[in-house]
Amino acid sequence: MPRRMTLLLVLACSSLSFANDQSPADPAQAAAGAGAAVEGAAAAWRWWQPAARASQQAYEARLSQTPRADRLRALHDAVCAEPHPAGTDSDQRMIEKLALTFAELGLQVEVQELRVYIPESVSAAVTVQRWAGQQDAKPIELALQERPVTGDTQTAHPQLGIGWNAYSASGDVTAEVVYANYGTKSDFDELAKLGIDVRGKIVIARYGRSFRGFKARFAEAAGAVGLLLYTDPADSGYRRGQPYPVGGWCNATSIQRGSIKTLPYPGDPLTPFAVALDSAPRVDPKILALPKIPVQPLGWGAANEILSRMQGTPAPAAWQGALPHHYRIVGGDALRVRMQVDQPRRLKQTANVIGKIEGSQFPDEVVILGCHFDAWTFGAGDPHAGTILLYECARAFAEAAEAGMRPARTILFANWGAEEFGIIGSTEYCEANAFELRENAVAYINLDMAAMGLDFRASAAPLLKSVISDAAAAVEHPSGQSVLEQWRGDAATPRFGNLGGGSDHVGFYCHLGIPS
């Protein structure tokens, strides 16, 4: 499927970069337009003047010869060789590797160096200090790192660290425990209605139903002194299917890492609406609304050591997860848990890496393809299922250009840094190039996690839906249908999502208004 996704990307990018800026040859077909189902590759040519069709077909045929499954796999193994969170030595090695790969393809390479305010996970510990009936039992130190999986050597990689939530406050607290279901605003409202006082307590809540950063914000606002987040088997574990490695669901030690930054703007926290260069003026970190309580993620095996020892008020039926006991809201006076998090925030170096193929007719007009490259660990799916498409697509256009077939518009292939910490790299690029992008950017295509299975999905601005549908009609799905037919199912037209937040399209689409 990654090869087919690369072909689809090549065709979509080819249409955007070819610059066929004339009306369709058949106005009646155009009226049927983007909302109509495309019943095969030939229907895509309704948008092209007859004189342009032959050259565009030849161009796309040349581009489509390039993508290869073995090369996609080799690149995937290369970019997933080691954990590489932003701001680390391995992040710098990744930047050098990506820039070298672009250079080897013959692209013009730009490395946009950035100095950004991000945290580092130094250490953390969670201990069940005492509980009812403990007697002479020793405190229980909970596992904060995944257990290695037999047959998967990467799960025992020496650079794998503990699970962590970036931008947690550092702290050492010991307190009673309150269970807050998913930690949503309505869950904390329900606790208040039930007369449960969260002040001075450690809250334990499960992942799901809202962004993890809001869980931390609501816990802090309610007066909690710490927050533990865990993945419940009802949501992402054995209740859903077989855990890894038999299936794809979480096992008892699986931990969801992620940022909990909820500032009202994406990008570097200290340089809002300005580029995070070495020389940039920065706001005082003390005035930022970053979390002021320690936050630590757990697997459900570790969380159960706490939840199974709670002896207070039973939880509402809707709050029951899949662990084998009745969930309770409060732990009782006898239960004490200690949280220790050491996570300093510092200015650290990262970069965006951009490869460029200059257009032959309209070099100032640009089509941008982007995918972040930083990852909490190896990034096999998030983001590198997209990174490999980006590079194989770049190879297709570079080899065609070498053979004398250049796109009419300039194409930028962009690797964004520090996305996981809060969409930082792409935001800084948009801030640095806002005027040029507003004037000249034709479209932005985001590839984060872009080849994660056999079910194709896309979210898009209205202007790009016909381009995606046409490309999907021209690529075969493993089922034997076209990708468009598989995506559409029994419906007359494919279902597109609407672009929200959460990835590197935000700066382009939400801030600069570029179709994405």
Side-chain angles (χ1 to χ4, degrees):
M1 194 62 182
R3 181 180 180 275
R4 292 175 171 88
M5 282 294 298
T6 309
L7 289 170
L8 195 155
L9 178 63
V10 162
L11 295 176
C13 188
S14 172
S15 293
L16 291 166
S17 63
F18 195 79
N20 178 50
D21 294 325
Q22 303 178 64
S23 300
D26 183 345
Q29 280 189 312
V38 180
E39 294 294 347
W45 303 110
R46 70 189 186 280
W47 299 111
W48 301 87
Q49 289 290 335
R53 290 178 187 174
S55 58
Q56 176 65 8
Q57 286 174 318
Y59 188 36
E60 291 189 3
R62 175 66 177 79
L63 293 168
S64 298
Q65 293 172 7
T66 301
R68 284 183 7 204
D70 61 333
R71 202 155 47 211
L72 285 158
R73 179 55 195 253
L75 180 58
H76 190 267
D77 291 346
V79 294
C80 298
E82 62 178 338
H84 48 279
T88 62
D89 291 343
S90 53
D91 183 54
Q92 290 299 316
R93 288 192 288 272
M94 179 66 73
I95 291 166
E96 293 167 5
K97 182 186 300 183
L98 296 173
L100 178 62
T101 304
F102 273 152
E104 289 173 342
L105 292 177
L107 277 64
Q108 301 174 43
V109 182
E110 175 193 356
V111 177
Q112 182 191 23
E113 299 284 354
L114 301 169
R115 192 159 179 80
V116 298
Y117 187 64
I118 56 177
E120 175 186 357
S121 176
V122 174
S123 65
V126 178
T127 308
V128 183
Q129 295 286 89
R130 62 182 176 87
W131 60 94
Q134 177 186 20
Q135 298 177 346
D136 296 328
K138 295 181 179 179
I140 303 170
E141 186 168 336
L142 304 184
L144 302 182
Q145 186 168 347
E146 291 85 353
R147 181 177 61 243
V149 175
T150 302
D152 185 342
T153 58
Q154 286 187 299
T155 61
H157 195 285
Q159 288 175 236
L160 273 177
I162 60 172
W164 57 302
N165 288 129
Y167 293 104
S168 164
S170 295
D172 185 342
V173 297
T174 301
E176 296 179 40
V177 181
V178 173
Y179 169 60
N181 195 26
Y182 290 101
T184 64
K185 180 65 166 60
S186 60
D187 289 332
F188 280 101
D189 289 344
E190 182 66 19
L191 288 174
K193 288 179 185 177
L194 294 171
I196 305 297
D197 190 356
V198 176
R199 290 175 298 175
K201 309 294 198 310
I202 291 173
V203 167
I204 185 167
R206 46 179 166 159
Y207 273 116
R209 299 198 181 171
S210 71
F211 172 53
R212 69 186 81 84
F214 291 122
K215 300 174 192 287
R217 180 191 288 184
F218 298 145
E220 184 178 319
V225 296
L227 173 65
L228 298 171
L229 293 173
Y230 79 100
T231 300
D232 196 281
D235 303 305
S236 297
Y238 51 73
R239 178 73 65 81
R240 303 293 301 277
Q242 289 281 0
Y244 181 76
V246 177
W249 297 98
C250 296
N251 63 39
T253 66
S254 300
I255 300 173
Q256 183 188 127
R257 295 155 172 82
S259 174
I260 53 174
K261 178 167 76 74
T262 57
L263 296 175
Y265 51 87
D268 175 50
L270 301 188
T271 58
F273 306 102
V275 191
L277 305 175
D278 277 332
S279 58
R282 289 178 162 83
V283 302
D284 186 346
K286 294 177 183 177
I287 70 171
L288 295 179
L290 292 171
K292 295 179 174 58
I293 62 172
V295 181
Q296 178 61 41
L298 308 165
W300 80 67
N304 195 46
E305 296 289 353
I306 299 170
L307 294 169
S308 65
R309 289 174 168 80
M310 296 176 71
Q311 295 196 342
T313 307
W319 290 26
Q320 178 71 30
L323 293 170
H325 53 76
H326 195 92
Y327 287 36
R328 296 180 180 273
I329 296 177
V330 295
D333 183 63
L335 180 63
R336 290 288 189 280
V337 171
R338 182 182 183 187
M339 289 180 65
Q340 300 164 278
V341 175
D342 185 8
Q343 195 186 113
R345 303 163 185 163
R346 303 187 178 102
L347 289 176
K348 292 193 168 188
Q349 206 74 21
T350 189
N352 296 319
V353 182
I354 298 155
K356 176 181 178 181
I357 296 178
E358 191 164 291
S360 60
Q361 293 176 255
F362 308 101
D364 291 337
E365 297 182 15
V366 295
V367 175
I368 307 153
L369 282 67
C371 185
H372 74 93
F373 64 86
D374 65 308
W376 296 116
T377 57
F378 298 98
D382 180 4
H384 294 317
T387 302
I388 60 175
L389 309 189
L390 181 75
Y391 273 86
E392 195 70 349
C393 187
R395 182 188 299 276
F397 281 91
E399 290 184 359
E402 182 69 19
M405 303 177 75
R406 303 186 68 84
R409 291 175 168 131
T410 294
I411 307 178
L412 300 181
F413 301 90
N415 298 272
W416 309 121
E419 185 271 352
E420 296 288 7
F421 286 86
I423 318 178
I424 291 178
S426 58
T427 299
E428 301 308 309
Y429 182 83
C430 287
E431 290 171 344
N433 301 281
F435 178 79
E436 292 85 354
L437 290 169
R438 282 195 185 100
E439 291 294 310
N440 299 320
V442 173
Y444 173 71
I445 299 177
N446 198 51
L447 300 173
D448 192 357
M449 302 173 67
M452 295 288 287
L454 299 181
D455 296 327
F456 179 76
R457 304 188 302 275
S459 297
L463 284 171
L464 298 185
K465 290 181 180 179
S466 64
V467 176
I468 297 168
S469 294
D470 290 353
V475 177
E476 184 184 4
H477 187 270
S479 65
Q481 300 175 298
S482 71
V483 171
L484 178 68
E485 289 170 327
Q486 185 275 335
W487 174 23
R488 191 181 63 200
D490 295 330
T493 58
R495 174 171 290 183
F496 280 89
N498 294 315
L499 286 167
S503 194
D504 290 300
H505 62 276
V506 166
F508 295 92
Y509 189 59
C510 302
H511 183 56
L512 299 180
I514 297 164
S516 301

